[in-house]
Amino acid sequence: MPDRETGADELYVGYLPVPKGQRRFLRLGLPLVLWVACGATFLWARSQHSPGTGAWDQGQPMRLMGVLVAAPYPMLFAQGPDGHAECVLLVEVGKHGGRHDAAVLDGRRVAASGWPLHRDGRRILELEPQDGALSAASDAGEGPVAPPARVRVGTVTLRGEIMDSKCFLGAMKPGEGKTHKECATLCIRGGIPPMLVTRDAAGNATYTLLESPGGGRLDEEAHAYIADPVEVRGELFQQGDMRILELDAKAIRRL
Amino acid sequence: MSVGYTWVQWNRHKRVYDAVAAVSAAAFIAVYMLATKLAWSGANAYSDEVALIRSTGACAIVLLHVILCIGPLARLDRRFLPLLYNRRHLGVMTFLIALVHAVVVLGYYHGFGVSNPLVSLLTSNTNYGSLRAFPFQVLGLGALLILFLMAATSHDFWNKNLSPALWKRLHMLVYLAYALLAGHVALGALQNNRGAIGPVLVVAGAGLVVTLHLAAGWREVRRDRGHETVTDDGAEWIDVGAPEEIPENRARTVCTARGERIAVFRHNGQVSAVTNLCAHQGGPLGEGKIIDGCITCPWHGWQYRPHDGCSPPPFQEKVATYQVRVLAGRVQVNAAALPPGTLTRPATLPERAHA
């Protein structure tokens, strides 16, 4: 191969002055490469997908009143904006759910204060960390006085992705997909309510709370499938505006 | 090439090199984050942590590609040698950026939970049997550990004390790190963000690295061919060519039957031969030049005297030398290496050959 130096006999040595030909090559070549790299980086970054419309309102805490269902995941049935009972899942700060003081308030009207996360009309509330963030309500107030009945819909097979509700609804953006798999697993292990997110042909999402058969927390066996595209089978229930699937972990199939 | 150790033997070139590299890396991360913010804002905005994780990860991968391409580029075209001179600093920078990526991932995705973040990293996903669900983060951790090992031993102190051969083997692990990172990206980010750009970039990057290495290797193989060997009194002599075929103060490289390359230099009407491997990092001495009477390695400028393979005082490095002769108008080199630093008599060229 011919010598492609621009100078007749140049050799770059780090501790000697840079030969003319090489200096010219670097002065012209490096900025050109860097500009091209910056442009490519810009296009690369723009090619990322939308992280979704989840939001986390971290300003002044809001106060919600409603009826508490403590298990398997604490949820508050409050009066929604449209006047119907709205189910608001309750989680704690960090990757923790299952408030320890919820059990004693089960079935009672409570006041809960914290920061809401919401996406596609579904809300959860991150409770303030101090005692008293969840307390028995002293006044009757508006809204339901008892939890809505849990109505069996039937046995269903659904395709979607198992998510932790807190990240997906706005704590992380994006809070889904392969790169979020370990985080979602950690969240669900910590008691954050798991949800199955299914989408119709137009991409509209439906959220379904996941429980084990009999109404307990999601079986650990199902954790291996978190954040993967899966097909699941189970008994579907409706409680207020919340869809609940009692999931048979043995029947999960990775797609 | 030093008689003592300092953290960094700074000179103007290293300062300029590091400044350009640091500004380029910072610009890459800034452009990536800015583009993410401009493309997705308002209700669709990305978390800053995710943008930082992606931009630092992308930056580290691009830097690793640059590092892997510099070697063969410099072999194919000497104008790229300035990029190779301070490549170790680029390696350390790559490790530091990858470390930022890993620390943010560890805190953001594995912190604030019921497990220690490191325990979570290693136990949250154990689907090693599934490509779709494979725990890709472990591959990234493996690559990060290799990059750390390389960054931590990048100083010449370790080169000297581990021995250049072991040091070189250790630093060849960069190819394993690259393979792990390719898996990390393919089984992580590419599965997450489906689309054509990611796979195209990964394949193009790997294609560039492989093509450049093959091209540089092919050039070496072609150069090794076509040198006849004659046996004389039990000694193997390799034909180097006519003296005029060796440029003044430059070398021609030949290869022995055992695969050892010899650099045969022409200088001041004489011909001398040393091993092609620099004692420092195994740089190709035959692609260097004689400067101030010394063979000068093109990689980091280490120097050796042509007649005895010794670095000029006060330096103490030595490389193997070879006997050379001129017979019937042809330069020949004895294939048997002499111990490093052995004094040899340079072959004197006929008048017309060095006129």
Side-chain angles (χ1 to χ4, degrees), chain A residues 8-19:
Chain A
D9 193 31
E10 292 185 341
L11 179 72
Y12 172 85
V13 180
Y15 48 80
L16 297 176
V18 183

PDB file of all heavy atoms in Angstrom, chain A residues 8-19:
ATOM      1  N   ALA A   8       6.393  14.336   2.677  1.00  0.00           N
ATOM      2  CA  ALA A   8       7.201  13.291   2.066  1.00  0.00           C
ATOM      3  C   ALA A   8       7.622  12.239   3.076  1.00  0.00           C
ATOM      4  O   ALA A   8       7.575  11.045   2.809  1.00  0.00           O
ATOM      5  CB  ALA A   8       8.418  13.913   1.410  1.00  0.00           C
ATOM      6  N   ASP A   9       8.025  12.659   4.263  1.00  0.00           N
ATOM      7  CA  ASP A   9       8.587  11.689   5.196  1.00  0.00           C
ATOM      8  C   ASP A   9       8.182  12.033   6.634  1.00  0.00           C
ATOM      9  O   ASP A   9       8.995  12.059   7.542  1.00  0.00           O
ATOM     10  CB  ASP A   9      10.110  11.692   5.050  1.00  0.00           C
ATOM     11  CG  ASP A   9      10.722  10.500   5.744  1.00  0.00           C
ATOM     12  OD1 ASP A   9      10.056   9.449   5.806  1.00  0.00           O
ATOM     13  OD2 ASP A   9      11.857  10.612   6.245  1.00  0.00           O
ATOM     14  N   GLU A  10       6.928  12.318   6.814  1.00  0.00           N
ATOM     15  CA  GLU A  10       6.489  12.776   8.129  1.00  0.00           C
ATOM     16  C   GLU A  10       6.196  11.618   9.056  1.00  0.00           C
ATOM     17  O   GLU A  10       5.706  10.576   8.619  1.00  0.00           O
ATOM     18  CB  GLU A  10       5.220  13.618   7.977  1.00  0.00           C
ATOM     19  CG  GLU A  10       5.458  14.942   7.266  1.00  0.00           C
ATOM     20  CD  GLU A  10       4.204  15.792   7.232  1.00  0.00           C
ATOM     21  OE1 GLU A  10       3.117  15.234   7.425  1.00  0.00           O
ATOM     22  OE2 GLU A  10       4.326  17.003   7.036  1.00  0.00           O
ATOM     23  N   LEU A  11       6.475  11.824  10.326  1.00  0.00           N
ATOM     24  CA  LEU A  11       6.047  10.863  11.340  1.00  0.00           C
ATOM     25  C   LEU A  11       5.661  11.664  12.576  1.00  0.00           C
ATOM     26  O   LEU A  11       6.462  12.451  13.094  1.00  0.00           O
ATOM     27  CB  LEU A  11       7.157   9.870  11.692  1.00  0.00           C
ATOM     28  CG  LEU A  11       6.757   8.860  12.776  1.00  0.00           C
ATOM     29  CD1 LEU A  11       5.770   7.844  12.217  1.00  0.00           C
ATOM     30  CD2 LEU A  11       7.979   8.132  13.338  1.00  0.00           C
ATOM     31  N   TYR A  12       4.463  11.446  13.055  1.00  0.00           N
ATOM     32  CA  TYR A  12       4.024  12.147  14.262  1.00  0.00           C
ATOM     33  C   TYR A  12       4.669  11.502  15.478  1.00  0.00           C
ATOM     34  O   TYR A  12       4.616  10.282  15.653  1.00  0.00           O
ATOM     35  CB  TYR A  12       2.500  12.062  14.391  1.00  0.00           C
ATOM     36  CG  TYR A  12       1.988  12.585  15.704  1.00  0.00           C
ATOM     37  CD1 TYR A  12       1.754  13.943  15.872  1.00  0.00           C
ATOM     38  CD2 TYR A  12       1.766  11.720  16.768  1.00  0.00           C
ATOM     39  CE1 TYR A  12       1.302  14.424  17.083  1.00  0.00           C
ATOM     40  CE2 TYR A  12       1.318  12.195  17.982  1.00  0.00           C
ATOM     41  CZ  TYR A  12       1.083  13.552  18.142  1.00  0.00           C
ATOM     42  OH  TYR A  12       0.644  14.017  19.337  1.00  0.00           O
ATOM     43  N   VAL A  13       5.307  12.318  16.290  1.00  0.00           N
ATOM     44  CA  VAL A  13       5.839  11.840  17.577  1.00  0.00           C
ATOM     45  C   VAL A  13       5.313  12.804  18.629  1.00  0.00           C
ATOM     46  O   VAL A  13       5.467  14.023  18.489  1.00  0.00           O
ATOM     47  CB  VAL A  13       7.384  11.820  17.583  1.00  0.00           C
ATOM     48  CG1 VAL A  13       7.894  11.323  18.927  1.00  0.00           C
ATOM     49  CG2 VAL A  13       7.924  10.956  16.455  1.00  0.00           C
ATOM     50  N   GLY A  14       4.686  12.247  19.644  1.00  0.00           N
ATOM     51  CA  GLY A  14       3.945  13.066  20.593  1.00  0.00           C
ATOM     52  C   GLY A  14       4.724  14.175  21.242  1.00  0.00           C
ATOM     53  O   GLY A  14       4.164  15.223  21.544  1.00  0.00           O
ATOM     54  N   TYR A  15       6.022  13.973  21.454  1.00  0.00           N
ATOM     55  CA  TYR A  15       6.799  14.984  22.186  1.00  0.00           C
ATOM     56  C   TYR A  15       7.558  15.925  21.232  1.00  0.00           C
ATOM     57  O   TYR A  15       8.375  16.703  21.677  1.00  0.00           O
ATOM     58  CB  TYR A  15       7.753  14.323  23.182  1.00  0.00           C
ATOM     59  CG  TYR A  15       8.563  13.179  22.618  1.00  0.00           C
ATOM     60  CD1 TYR A  15       9.698  13.410  21.851  1.00  0.00           C
ATOM     61  CD2 TYR A  15       8.192  11.861  22.868  1.00  0.00           C
ATOM     62  CE1 TYR A  15      10.431  12.366  21.347  1.00  0.00           C
ATOM     63  CE2 TYR A  15       8.915  10.808  22.359  1.00  0.00           C
ATOM     64  CZ  TYR A  15      10.045  11.066  21.598  1.00  0.00           C
ATOM     65  OH  TYR A  15      10.771  10.017  21.087  1.00  0.00           O
ATOM     66  N   LEU A  16       7.286  15.779  19.907  1.00  0.00           N
ATOM     67  CA  LEU A  16       7.928  16.667  18.932  1.00  0.00           C
ATOM     68  C   LEU A  16       6.846  17.519  18.266  1.00  0.00           C
ATOM     69  O   LEU A  16       5.659  17.179  18.324  1.00  0.00           O
ATOM     70  CB  LEU A  16       8.659  15.835  17.878  1.00  0.00           C
ATOM     71  CG  LEU A  16       9.820  14.969  18.392  1.00  0.00           C
ATOM     72  CD1 LEU A  16      10.391  14.138  17.258  1.00  0.00           C
ATOM     73  CD2 LEU A  16      10.897  15.833  19.026  1.00  0.00           C
ATOM     74  N   PRO A  17       7.240  18.612  17.624  1.00  0.00           N
ATOM     75  CA  PRO A  17       6.222  19.425  16.926  1.00  0.00           C
ATOM     76  C   PRO A  17       5.465  18.584  15.900  1.00  0.00           C
ATOM     77  O   PRO A  17       6.031  17.686  15.282  1.00  0.00           O
ATOM     78  CB  PRO A  17       7.066  20.516  16.233  1.00  0.00           C
ATOM     79  CG  PRO A  17       8.323  20.578  17.030  1.00  0.00           C
ATOM     80  CD  PRO A  17       8.590  19.197  17.532  1.00  0.00           C
ATOM     81  N   VAL A  18       4.167  18.902  15.747  1.00  0.00           N
ATOM     82  CA  VAL A  18       3.336  18.132  14.813  1.00  0.00           C
ATOM     83  C   VAL A  18       3.744  18.473  13.383  1.00  0.00           C
ATOM     84  O   VAL A  18       3.805  19.654  13.030  1.00  0.00           O
ATOM     85  CB  VAL A  18       1.843  18.467  15.014  1.00  0.00           C
ATOM     86  CG1 VAL A  18       0.979  17.610  14.091  1.00  0.00           C
ATOM     87  CG2 VAL A  18       1.439  18.249  16.462  1.00  0.00           C
ATOM     88  N   PRO A  19       4.035  17.460  12.565  1.00  0.00           N
ATOM     89  CA  PRO A  19       4.387  17.745  11.162  1.00  0.00           C
ATOM     90  C   PRO A  19       3.257  18.495  10.462  1.00  0.00           C
ATOM     91  O   PRO A  19       2.083  18.300  10.779  1.00  0.00           O
ATOM     92  CB  PRO A  19       4.578  16.348  10.561  1.00  0.00           C
ATOM     93  CG  PRO A  19       4.873  15.464  11.722  1.00  0.00           C
ATOM     94  CD  PRO A  19       4.114  16.031  12.871  1.00  0.00           C
TER      95      PRO A  19
END
